[in-house]
Amino acid sequence: MKAVVLLSGGLDSTTALAVVRSQGFECHTLAVDYGQRHRVELDRAATVAKALGVVDHRVVKLDLRQIGGSALTADIAVPKDRSTDDMTHGVPITYVPARNTILLGVALGLAEVVGAFDIFIGANVLDYSGYPDCRPEFLSAFESLANLATKAGTEGAGKFRVHSPLLKMTKAEIIREGVKLGVDYSQTLSCYDPDATGKACGRCDSCSLRKKGFAEAGVPDPTPYQ
């Protein structure tokens, strides 16, 4: 069985890759260089892909800075020190317009080329920062689109499935699962605003959720923070 796994080099996508691998899939990983502020994540994705023994790791370049509209792709400050309550209300400025639609679209193209019908994404709805493209409704709709928009889908070669194995897990549960599967979280980066050396800021939403997850999981956080 072949699978395409979106891999950002962060905690969630790395754990998702470990889960997919444990299920016996031949993994083709895909990272997207979309002009993100936290470009060091691309290096982490490559490191993780090598460590977890994927068949093929590719990086696709798409410059979403030309669209902007996000603190990750434009000259907009990344919010820091927000409370958990603040994170659960509204869509934050770190939302990249249509990002998961675009990333899944690229993953779908790769899946069709390598002959995979299973696409995995590390989306999560419990410990997330209000992103509309992490919801189960979105993922279900994209799966329907995938089977209507492709040669493989319309000619009956197979049925595309979009999987999100971490969708309803807390960060603590995700971390515990990763530890069980042998994930080295020191290789991952979740920060939206790391410094030039790749150290996490420790204060953005993603860092806050990561810290909280490790604390609740009772697992030491290996992240070097600024």
Side-chain angles (χ1 to χ4, degrees):
M1 298 185 296
K2 297 180 180 180
V4 170
V5 185
L6 282 169
L7 183 63
S8 69
L11 186 153
D12 291 345
S13 69
T14 297
T15 308
L17 174 59
V19 169
V20 179
R21 202 166 153 269
S22 74
Q23 294 174 352
F25 282 94
E26 176 186 295
C27 297
H28 298 256
T29 51
L30 174 68
V32 179
D33 178 355
Y34 58 87
Q36 59 267 56
R37 177 192 296 261
H38 50 311
R39 295 181 55 78
V40 66
E41 73 171 7
L42 297 167
D43 296 329
R44 300 300 178 91
T47 298
V48 165
K50 184 176 180 180
L52 291 181
V54 306
V55 173
D56 175 44
H57 177 69
R58 306 189 193 196
V59 180
V60 172
K61 291 188 177 183
L62 293 170
D63 191 0
L64 296 185
R65 291 175 298 181
Q66 300 302 313
I67 295 174
S70 167
L72 303 189
T73 56
D75 190 17
I76 302 170
V78 172
K80 303 285 177 72
D81 305 318
R82 297 208 306 158
S83 68
T84 303
D85 186 58
D86 287 340
M87 291 184 214
T88 58
H89 291 86
V91 179
I93 194 62
T94 49
Y95 162 72
V96 178
R99 179 178 62 181
N100 281 355
T101 305
I102 295 166
L103 268 55
L104 280 170
V106 177
L108 175 60
L110 177 58
E112 194 167 21
V113 169
V114 301
F117 285 92
D118 293 279
I119 300 170
F120 288 82
I121 182 172
N124 177 261
V125 294
L126 293 186
D127 274 339
Y128 84 124
S129 298
Y131 298 126
D133 54 2
C134 286
R135 295 173 301 147
E137 300 93 328
F138 162 74
L139 297 170
S140 176
F142 190 91
E143 181 175 281
S144 296
L145 177 149
N147 287 291
L148 292 171
T150 53
K151 179 177 184 287
T154 56
E155 291 188 347
K159 179 177 171 57
F160 287 103
R161 292 169 295 270
V162 177
H163 306 271
S164 46
L166 315 182
L167 192 65
K168 296 184 179 179
M169 297 170 69
T170 65
K171 266 301 188 271
E173 289 170 340
I174 291 168
I175 290 166
R176 289 193 196 105
E177 181 66 15
V179 169
K180 187 170 73 174
L181 293 172
V183 171
D184 179 359
Y185 285 115
S186 71
Q187 296 178 333
T188 68
L189 177 81
S190 301
C191 184
Y192 291 147
D193 195 21
D195 67 14
T197 68
K199 284 188 177 180
C201 73
R203 297 170 54 206
C204 67
D205 290 0
S206 192
C207 280
S208 296
L209 290 170
R210 182 180 173 113
K211 284 180 172 181
K212 178 173 174 282
F214 276 107
E216 291 178 353
V219 174
D221 184 354
T223 312
Y225 293 103
Q226 295 170 26

